[in-house]
Amino acid sequence: MSEKSFVITPTEHPVSDADRARLLEHPGFGAVFSDHMATLKWTSDKGWHDGLVGPRRPFQIDPAAAVLHYGQEIFEGMKAYQTQNGGVVLFRPEANAKRFGRSAERLAMPVLPTELFIEAIEELVRLDHEWIPTSEGASLYLRPFLFATEAFLGVRPSREFTFCVLASPVGPYFSGGQKPITVWVSKDYIRAASGGTGAAKCGGNYAAGLLAQAQAYDHGCDQVVFLDAVERRWIEELGGMNVFFVTKDGKLMTPPLSGTILEGITRDSILKLAAEQGLTVQETPYSYEQWKLDAASGVLTEAFACGTAAVIVPIGVVRDAAGEFTIGNGAAGPVTETLYHRLVNIQRGVEADTHEWLHKIEILQPVG
Ligand SMILES: *Cc1c(COP(=O)(O)O)cnc(C)c1O
C-alpha cells in the first residue's frame, strides 16, 4: 500500500527559527510542543478515516464525550532520536504499536493497525524534524493516544474515537538527570490488581496513582514504588517505570509480567542486553522485605528504574512511613551505568544495532 493515509497541511504560523532554538535549549520534559500534530478518526460505521497531519490546535469535543466521564483512553510514549551521523530514528516502534493494540483491546477500543500507527508518527516527525533537540540526553518525545469522543452517557464502549500524536522536545526526565533518585514505597495504595488494567497503558492507571505519587513528593521522594494488591508484599513497579535489582554475584532481577505490571520496552531491551553481557537474568518475584534485608547485608548492590522517558535511572534511597535504607553507597553502580550507556549508544547509532531495534525515518530536505 503506497497510498498515504494522512493529508499533510503544514501550519502557516510556525514558531520562528530563533524562538525554536531558544525553546530547544532547555526544553524540560513535556512542556514544549512542536508545530504540528497527527490525528485520525474512528467510527463504528467508517472505521479509521480522516488522517491528517496539521497545525497543533485544541480539540473540540462534546461535553458528553465518553472519555470525560468514563476515562476510555490509552496512550504510548516513544522517542525520535538524532543519531551521531545526523539520521533520525525511532526505537522499536513496532513494539509500541503492538502494545497500543493490546491496551486498546483491554479498554474495549478499536485496534489501530501497526502500519497506520507508525505512518502517523513518521509523517509527524518528518514535518517537525527541526524540533528534534541535538544536545546530549535530549530527544523528541512522541505521545500517541486514543480517546472516546462519542457523546453518550450510557455505559458501553464508545462508537467514536480520535487518535492523535503529539511531539514534544525533551531533555532528561528528572531534574537531576541520571543522578540516583529516592523512591517512596506506598503502603496505603496499590496500582493494579489481577484482572484489572495494570498491563494496559491507560490514563486511568495514572489517575489512580497520582495520590500515592503526591505522597511520595511530600516525603521528599521522586517516585512511588507500588506493591502487589493481594499480599502488599511483592514489588511491582513504579508509577510509570519498571524496576530492576542487581546482586553482588552478578544477578539481574525484575518482577515477572504477571498481568499487573506494564510490559516496558526498555525493560525488555535491558533483559536482552544484560543476558548478552553475561549477567544472570531472572524475572522473579522479589519482596520489599527481602529488598531491605539484601540491601543491609550487601547482597544487593544496585537497583534502578527504567522507561522510555527517563531511560535508566539509579535508585539511591528507599523510603517508607517507617524509615529508609540506602542501596550500596547511594551512588550509581557499574551495572546500571553500563546498561544505560549501552542502551543510549544503540539509540544514538554509536554502538551497532545488532537487534534491529532502530527504525530509520528518511527526512526529505527541501530542494534549493
Ligand atoms: C510506560 C510505562 C513503563 C515503561 O515502559 P517503556 O516501554 O519502557 O517506556 C513502565 N510502567 C508503566 C506503568 C508505564 O506506563
Side-chain angles (χ1 to χ4, degrees), residues 172-181 310 312-314:
Y173 185 78
F174 291 108
S175 55
Q178 308 308 128
K179 288 215 194 77
I181 58 169
I312 291 177
V313 60

Side-chain angles (χ1 to χ4, degrees), residues 59-109:
F59 289 122
Q60 267 207 335
I61 57 170
D62 193 281
V67 66
L68 301 177
H69 304 272
Y70 308 125
Q72 202 179 10
E73 190 267 356
I74 56 169
F75 66 94
E76 270 302 324
M78 48 209 292
K79 285 174 172 173
Y81 304 90
Q82 179 115 52
T83 60
Q84 65 166 8
N85 56 18
V88 173
V89 297
L90 302 171
F91 184 71
R92 304 184 71 182
E94 296 82 10
N96 292 95
K98 298 233 157 65
R99 186 170 68 189
F100 199 61
R102 292 195 297 276
S103 298
E105 280 172 354
R106 179 62 186 84
L107 275 285
M109 299 166 90

